Amino acid sequence: MAAHKPNTTNNSIEMAPSAMGLSRTPHILLIDAFDSFTNNLASLLHETTGASMCIVKITIEPSKLLHLLKQADAVVVSPGPGTPANPADVGIINMLWTLSDEYLLPVLGVCLGFQSLALAFGGKIEKLKEPKHGIVSEIIHSDTSIFSGVDVINATRYHSLHANIGHDIQVLKAVGQPGDLWKSTSLSPQLEPLAWTFDKDNGAVLMATKHTSKPFWGVQYHPESICTGSDSTKVIHNWWKEVGEWNLKRQRVPVRVCTPVAQDGFPIGRHQRKRSSPSDLETKGAVIQSPTEILKESFPTAESRQTRIGEVVISREAYLPDAGVTAICKMLRSGNQRFMILESAGNVHDLSRHHIIGLVYPGLTTRLDYLQRKNVIIETADDIRQPDSRSHDLGKLNCSPWSFLRWYLEQRRATGGLEWSPFWGGFMGYSTYEMGLNTLGVTTADNGNDPEGNPNMSFYFIERSIVIDRQLGVFCVQSVKEGDEQWVDMATNSIIYLGISEHKNPHETRSFRLTPELEESVQRSTVVKPNEQAYKEKIRKCQAFIRAGDSYELCLTAQTKVKLPVSYTHRDGQLVRNDLAWQLYQSLRHRNPAPFSAFMQLGKTTIISSSPERFLSWTRDGLCQMRPIKGTVKKHPQVTREMATWILGQDKERAENLMIVDLIRHDLYGIAGAGGVKVPKLMIVEEYETVYQLVSVIEAHLTTPSPWIPPPEEPSGYEEGGSQAGFTGISVLATALPPGSMTGAPKYRSCQLLHRIEDHHPRGIYSGVLGYMSVCGGGDFSVIIRSAIRRDEELDYVTGCKSRAEGFAGDVHEVWRIGAGGAVTALSTEQGEWDEMNTKLESTLRAFGVSGK
């Protein structure tokens, strides 16, 4: 890739309204073709021009579009998947090129918008020999029109198609003299070339054009990409200047302010779906039921359960004794104490800092399960389904599941916890991949139902917890139960005593051996892997869609089943099934230590994870961070850091990372607003325990109300971004799912395609996220990869035997599912992607003491 200065949009040239001869705020209508970079473009436009942004989809009704055109100073058409030759891919875009004088106004098309412009005026849209996605190329321009006074631009390209206007440089591969590059052609006489790029794979590719008489411009490259040079901002500045001159010459004045789908010059969010207000529901005869009343009816009073939430966290801290997190968990298990753990295993920079243990009490600990097919949240006490449990109908309550969780958490907001502890109590659990599809509006054949019967999201509300800070060398015991000081003191003293008793072994040993029960089970296990030829056929399908322009990259996955014989133990005269899950987790964390390891058992679902990737974290003061990993080099004595840096600097590795960075910027801009997103680390090589990886860090700071405003008594209308709720980390979490590193870009179209390519089989928990949301206002979630998931009720009867007594002989198998995959791009090879999938799979299979046999 050519060297360039990244476009952060922070050093952009702002043009005040007066520069256009205006005493009012100008308005730009941005038409979104369901792209995953639209908010990046909106931020660039707003920061450069000072105009407010009004974003609409290409599916807007033509009559409404005409109404909005009269209100705008100019129109920008976003990038998007597909081809301008397909009406479904461009919607109302083609209307822009045939507008009557009454509605005619300046238009800038980007990528798909550029191609639509070229096609409308004689050009042909053809496939590139080699698609360019996430590739930075040098752009040569005419130094006229919107490129006047602009230096050479290094710009990011995301396209599989290109515009052929029949130019000699495209047909004959040569021109008589350099000035001929900028001449119109007989095929497209109304289009004037403004910029080209030249690459060895495709030759000359048109990068920009303008209409010779109408106020239409287009650029093929992506000016909004983080890796497009900052000089590209001058192109937007020049275009905006020409917009002002054209409108002034025509004496064109918008009739009034743009329709209020924008706020403070930027869109409210990525999804601008208007929710019904309570008054709307009342007129329709709907009944709004208060969840507060439901909670009172569903469970005993807080006093009788002795689990009332207090306003102040009860905590006690002490220096970390010689016993580590494993010894503490062993102590808890010896007392039959159930728990979940989010463990920062390994030694990965600032990520391997906190271990969080949440204690679970059957019959007392509240669990919230969301069932997408019914749009209800089931509230129950652990896995004991009590007769008085109630379901919360979110349709009647007029709120999303994420808004309900946020409302529930805000009702229990606490203060007074230790500053260094990121978790004081709150939700711990998971959200499935299909939960993200639901947020996106992607419909699936099974309506998002999990194939194994797992809830689409499941969270315990943790009241008692233990947190270890490895950097400070301290631990704390915490409770958000009122009057729980005695338990906090008792638990703290127990851990201190544990450390004294373990003094002879001050450091946790790294040696690990399978227990006899697990060893016997894995020896008789069966591993069912994806079929190699079927997987490679799916890779070919992915690349066919990429070459057709439907996606930039597709993150293909497949699932492996590990069937372990079930064993039973005679206990108190009964035959009890042995649970090997904790032993498997210990095996996984030993063989594949990772900063986002986790052991969770929620109801009848068990997750063991050694994920290396943070999806999203947010602090109690609103700093959000996303940390995508794309690009891995396995450590080896012959592989130096310099060699790994060179490998990770190749186009394929950097392009994969860049596409996800741009996608995440879009997600965060949709919440934080223009200028609210920073990229402190861009494609940096980091050294981990077993690998070198290409990592980027994207951050946004959310403005939270100060002082804090208590939530309403019920969540009706309590929507993310509303006047009562504002935006929080939960807002970002809901908006950004599913993880872009597990989908590809553009996200919406890629998810649709992947559902087809993966035979309409839901991914379930794999590819989702797990983590915590704390009563202190912070949260942290990882991507569920390098993980194994078990549904306790899913048993495989190998010989058709179904009795427990016979099952003791090993005929009954429990099923663990492991997902793995990789990002398919135009540069991928079938064998390379198959090998990558297997490499990731093996890292988890090793926990079972088996390989892909």
Side-chain angles (χ1 to χ4, degrees), residues 23-42:
S23 57
R24 57 174 177 80
T25 300
H27 306 287
I28 294 176
L29 179 63
L30 178 54
I31 299 177
D32 177 22
F34 293 94
D35 195 49
S36 289
F37 305 148
T38 301
N39 289 339
N40 302 341
L41 184 58

Side-chain angles (χ1 to χ4, degrees), residues 318-321 323-329 341-344 352-357 420-423 465-478 495 508:
Y319 285 109
L320 185 67
V325 65
T326 300
I328 294 173
C329 292
I341 182 170
L342 301 173
E343 184 178 4
S344 296
S352 296
R353 179 172 179 177
H354 297 108
H355 302 314
I356 299 174
I357 302 172
W420 62 262
S421 176
F423 181 80
S465 59
I466 302 167
V467 178
I468 300 172
D469 190 317
R470 297 176 63 187
Q471 289 186 8
L472 297 179
V474 298
F475 77 97
C476 70
V477 177
Q478 308 167 122
I495 296 174
E508 288 185 80

Side-chain angles (χ1 to χ4, degrees), residues 637-796:
Q638 280 72 46
V639 178
T640 63
R641 183 183 179 91
E642 290 73 20
M643 187 180 300
T645 301
W646 181 85
I647 294 172
L648 292 172
Q650 301 306 298
D651 281 351
K652 180 182 183 296
E653 306 297 333
R654 290 179 64 85
E656 286 183 16
N657 196 288
L658 171 58
M659 283 186 258
I660 303 307
V661 170
D662 279 340
L663 185 153
I664 288 174
R665 290 172 61 234
H666 162 87
D667 287 340
L668 290 178
Y669 272 131
I671 297 294
V677 179
K678 313 296 179 186
V679 184
K681 288 186 179 182
L682 179 62
M683 292 184 279
I684 301 298
V685 177
E686 290 187 347
E687 184 174 353
Y688 292 72
E689 187 168 344
T690 58
V691 295
Y692 296 98
Q693 295 195 303
L694 197 62
V695 179
S696 294
V697 176
I698 306 96
E699 294 180 344
H701 206 292
L702 307 179
T703 302
T704 55
S706 182
W708 174 71
I709 302 174
E713 287 297 314
E714 59 182 51
S716 298
Y718 188 66
E719 285 304 296
E720 297 301 309
S723 59
Q724 291 178 315
F727 288 127
T728 67
I730 300 178
S731 312
V732 180
L733 180 64
T735 300
L737 288 172
S741 60
M742 302 305 297
T743 64
K747 186 185 284 188
Y748 181 81
R749 179 68 67 87
S750 295
C751 287
Q752 290 179 316
L753 296 176
L754 286 167
H755 189 60
R756 291 167 53 187
I757 296 169
E758 295 178 359
D759 301 322
H760 304 283
H761 186 79
R763 294 182 182 180
I765 293 174
Y766 169 68
S767 293
V769 296
L770 65 79
Y772 70 83
M773 294 177 276
S774 174
V775 293
C776 70
D780 201 352
F781 283 79
S782 63
V783 181
I784 303 178
I785 53 177
R786 318 291 197 274
S787 305
I789 297 103
R790 181 190 70 190
R791 181 69 175 169
D792 295 350
E793 296 175 335
E794 184 182 11
L795 297 174
D796 186 82

Side-chain angles (χ1 to χ4, degrees), residues 321-327 499 502-511:
D322 291 329
V325 65
T326 300
E502 297 272 325
H503 183 69
K504 291 184 179 181
N505 296 295
H507 302 291
E508 288 185 80
T509 177
R510 291 187 60 82
S511 63

Side-chain angles (χ1 to χ4, degrees), residues 244-276:
E245 292 174 351
W246 190 89
N247 283 332
L248 185 62
K249 183 178 179 180
R250 296 286 295 264
Q251 295 186 336
R252 184 183 179 279
V253 179
V255 294
R256 63 181 179 84
V257 175
C258 192
T259 298
V261 298
Q263 175 175 295
D264 297 330
F266 201 77
I268 293 174
R270 182 180 63 186
H271 305 290
Q272 297 166 3
R273 302 169 185 162
K274 184 179 182 297
R275 296 270 181 181
S276 299

Side-chain angles (χ1 to χ4, degrees), residues 298-471:
S298 302
F299 295 97
T301 64
E303 288 76 14
S304 66
R305 295 176 62 219
Q306 297 183 344
T307 56
R308 183 164 66 89
I309 306 301
E311 294 182 352
V312 179
V313 179
I314 302 169
S315 61
R316 181 180 168 190
E317 64 180 323
Y319 285 109
L320 185 67
D322 291 329
V325 65
T326 300
I328 294 173
C329 292
K330 183 178 179 181
M331 177 186 71
L332 294 172
R333 287 178 59 81
S334 67
N336 294 320
Q337 173 64 62
R338 290 187 57 187
F339 62 88
M340 299 193 296
I341 182 170
L342 301 173
E343 184 178 4
S344 296
N347 186 23
V348 186
H349 310 287
D350 60 333
L351 299 180
S352 296
R353 179 172 179 177
H354 297 108
H355 302 314
I356 299 174
I357 302 172
L359 305 186
V360 177
Y361 296 87
L364 291 175
T365 301
T366 298
R367 192 179 79 244
L368 299 182
D369 293 340
Y370 175 66
L371 305 179
Q372 185 171 312
R373 66 182 181 276
K374 296 182 179 180
N375 196 29
V376 297
I377 285 182
I378 304 295
E379 183 167 5
T380 185
D382 192 21
D383 57 352
I384 302 174
R385 187 58 61 87
Q386 299 180 351
D388 59 353
S389 295
R390 294 289 188 271
S391 65
H392 307 297
D393 188 328
L394 300 188
K396 291 182 179 180
L397 294 172
N398 188 36
C399 72
S400 70
W402 293 110
S403 295
F404 186 95
L405 285 180
R406 180 182 170 187
W407 170 85
Y408 193 97
L409 195 64
E410 293 283 13
Q411 288 279 352
R412 293 152 180 79
R413 191 177 178 96
T415 60
L418 295 169
E419 186 66 27
W420 62 262
S421 176
F423 181 80
W424 296 351
F427 286 126
M428 292 178 68
Y430 72 83
S431 173
T432 65
Y433 173 80
E434 280 68 37
M435 190 69 194
L437 296 186
N438 180 47
T439 303
L440 277 179
V442 175
T443 57
T444 57
D446 53 6
N447 195 30
N449 297 331
D450 187 274
E452 283 71 59
N454 297 302
N456 296 92
M457 66 163 59
S458 184
F459 288 93
Y460 277 125
F461 188 84
I462 300 298
E463 297 173 307
R464 290 173 170 176
S465 59
I466 302 167
V467 178
I468 300 172
D469 190 317
R470 297 176 63 187
Q471 289 186 8

Side-chain angles (χ1 to χ4, degrees), residues 97-108:
W97 319 125
T98 59
L99 292 171
S100 65
D101 289 344
E102 179 184 359
Y103 295 99
L104 186 64
L105 77 171
V107 181
L108 173 66

